[in-house]
Amino acid sequence: MRSAQKQKLSDSLSHQLATCGFRFTPQRQHVYSVLLGKLDHPTAEEVFIRAKRELPDISMATVYNCLDALVKCGLARQVSLARGATRFCPNMKNHCHFYCDTCESVFDVNLPAEPGIALPEGFKAAHYDIAIHGRCPACANGGK
Amino acid sequence: MRSAQKQKLSDSLSHQLATCGFRFTPQRQHVYSVLLGKLDHPTAEEVFIRAKRELPDISMATVYNCLDALVKCGLARQVSLARGATRFCPNMKNHCHFYCDTCESVFDVNLPAEPGIALPEGFKAAHYDIAIHGRCPACANGGK
DNA sequence: GATTTGGTTTAGAATTATTCCAAATATTGA
DNA sequence: TCAATATTTGGAATAATTCTAAACCAAATC
């Protein structure tokens, strides 16, 4: 990534954090860059392992804190697809997730528009989470 | 519930289990009736507590086993909405879930039709899981 | 510039959620 | 009825997440 681009990213991160009353810290910056570095829906544990390469002293608690801050300020989504660890996704475009029940991989699937589901009186929707379960191409073939 | 109705339920349970190669057991029957008894999306722990009232010796491992069997044979859905325990839902009609981020309650929301999302070549969808996050009527008013 | 204030990080303990295991038991099919 | 196999049980083990207190750090105040 070019340095100017990196600068831009950290400006927007800093701004988004500030908007929600969070401080900008090296840990948060790095956790965000780890998320952006590989869009494979890592768990907190996986983010922790990746973050450690550059910040060897970062702790698990901090990774959770950073991820939560990113989610709260709208720079990442938390993805709960099955029992087991929650995953994180920095793709904030309108999309949903395909979860392969066989290999447990997650794929982003573009959504043309928000679903538009009629809610009963009084419910206030903040966001939609659509998950499609099934088999990915590799598992649909291989696994018979 | 009338006895004839109960009989019918356990017939269909027995049949569904058999179809997937599972055996019909008193524990599975009771766990299923616990789920049907209160449609509030309980966690495995909550099911365990409720099931114990009638089957005091049932174990947590059995509750998980029963719930998994019900899910696999199509009599219940597993619902992952946030970090923390998975919940279970015996409503198999076409519906989605509204999750109140404030009080953590779950509500069923009717869906007129399946969403119909275009998947990339090779992906095989088994089922859709739509969750709407936001605030329920009580929390939308009270909080704030 | 020194001080206060409060958010953040850290390591590790604690808790929660789920899975695994081996022995005992129950169910199904022959 | 008997054998074969699935299921249940209690408890141990593991995985995922949260909590806690002390140290640290940045921004606001004096």
Side-chain angles (χ1 to χ4, degrees), chain A residues 68 78 83 126-127 129 131 133, chain B residues 68 78 83 126-127 129 131 133:
Chain A
D68 286 346
Q78 197 173 347
R83 270 184 277 186
H127 73 272
D129 260 351
H133 287 248
Chain B
D68 287 346
Q78 195 171 357
R83 270 184 276 185
H127 74 272
D129 259 350
H133 288 247

Side-chain angles (χ1 to χ4, degrees), chain A residues 14-23 69-74:
Chain A
S14 173
H15 174 261
Q16 284 294 105
L17 286 170
T19 297
C20 299
F22 291 112
R23 290 189 184 162
L70 292 172
V71 168
K72 286 199 184 117
C73 75

Side-chain angles (χ1 to χ4, degrees), chain A:
Chain A
M1 196 184 285
R2 292 197 320 277
S3 162
Q5 208 174 348
K6 199 162 195 168
Q7 183 56 45
K8 212 166 178 181
L9 263 177
S10 88
D11 280 357
S12 104
L13 168 59
S14 173
H15 174 261
Q16 284 294 105
L17 286 170
T19 297
C20 299
F22 291 112
R23 290 189 184 162
F24 176 81
T25 69
Q27 288 85 349
R28 284 175 181 160
Q29 175 172 38
H30 187 55
V31 164
Y32 188 42
S33 88
V34 161
L35 272 190
L36 291 171
K38 196 172 174 195
L39 304 171
D40 61 348
H41 307 85
T43 62
E45 175 95 38
E46 285 161 344
V47 171
F48 177 57
I49 290 166
R50 293 175 197 174
K52 261 180 142 46
R53 297 205 272 260
E54 196 163 319
L55 299 181
D57 290 340
I58 197 170
S59 75
M60 197 64 201
T62 298
V63 168
Y64 273 104
N65 173 320
C66 294
L67 289 170
D68 286 346
L70 292 172
V71 168
K72 286 199 184 117
C73 75
L75 289 170
R77 288 170 58 179
Q78 197 173 347
V79 186
S80 303
L81 290 160
R83 270 184 277 186
T86 296
R87 295 149 180 266
F88 295 86
C89 170
N91 174 359
M92 297 306 286
K93 285 191 294 232
N94 189 33
H95 73 288
C96 69
H97 294 110
F98 185 96
Y99 178 74
C100 178
D101 290 315
T102 304
C103 69
E104 304 183 355
S105 305
V106 181
F107 303 83
D108 283 355
V109 175
N110 262 348
L111 278 184
E114 284 245 317
I117 294 165
L119 290 175
E121 183 75 19
F123 287 86
K124 303 285 178 217
H127 73 272
Y128 293 80
D129 260 351
I130 303 185
I132 306 172
H133 287 248
R135 293 188 148 194
C136 71
C139 294
N141 281 322
K144 159 61 181 319

Side-chain angles (χ1 to χ4, degrees), chain B residues 27-49:
Chain B
Q27 288 86 349
R28 284 174 180 161
Q29 175 172 39
H30 187 56
V31 164
Y32 187 42
S33 88
V34 160
L35 273 190
L36 290 172
K38 196 172 174 195
L39 304 171
D40 62 348
H41 307 85
T43 62
E45 175 95 38
E46 285 161 343
V47 172
F48 176 56
I49 290 164

Side-chain angles (χ1 to χ4, degrees), chain B residues 107-126:
Chain B
F107 303 83
D108 283 356
V109 175
N110 262 347
L111 277 184
E114 285 248 315
I117 293 165
L119 291 175
E121 183 74 19
F123 286 86
K124 303 285 177 222

Side-chain angles (χ1 to χ4, degrees), chain B:
Chain B
M1 193 184 286
R2 292 198 320 278
S3 163
Q5 208 174 349
K6 197 159 195 172
Q7 184 55 47
K8 210 166 178 182
L9 262 177
S10 89
D11 280 357
S12 105
L13 167 60
S14 173
H15 173 261
Q16 284 295 104
L17 286 169
T19 298
C20 299
F22 290 113
R23 289 183 182 169
F24 178 80
T25 69
Q27 288 86 349
R28 284 174 180 161
Q29 175 172 39
H30 187 56
V31 164
Y32 187 42
S33 88
V34 160
L35 273 190
L36 290 172
K38 196 172 174 195
L39 304 171
D40 62 348
H41 307 85
T43 62
E45 175 95 38
E46 285 161 343
V47 172
F48 176 56
I49 290 164
R50 293 176 197 175
K52 260 180 137 57
R53 297 206 274 261
E54 196 163 320
L55 298 181
D57 290 340
I58 197 170
S59 74
M60 197 63 200
T62 298
V63 169
Y64 273 105
N65 173 319
C66 294
L67 289 169
D68 287 346
L70 292 172
V71 168
K72 286 200 185 114
C73 75
L75 289 170
R77 287 171 58 181
Q78 195 171 357
V79 185
S80 303
L81 290 160
R83 270 184 276 185
T86 296
R87 294 150 180 266
F88 295 85
C89 171
N91 175 359
M92 297 306 286
K93 285 191 293 234
N94 189 31
H95 73 287
C96 69
H97 294 109
F98 185 96
Y99 179 72
C100 178
D101 290 315
T102 303
C103 69
E104 306 184 351
S105 304
V106 181
F107 303 83
D108 283 356
V109 175
N110 262 347
L111 277 184
E114 285 248 315
I117 293 165
L119 291 175
E121 183 74 19
F123 286 86
K124 303 285 177 222
H127 74 272
Y128 293 80
D129 259 350
I130 303 186
I132 306 172
H133 288 247
R135 292 187 148 196
C136 72
C139 294
N141 282 321
K144 166 63 185 311

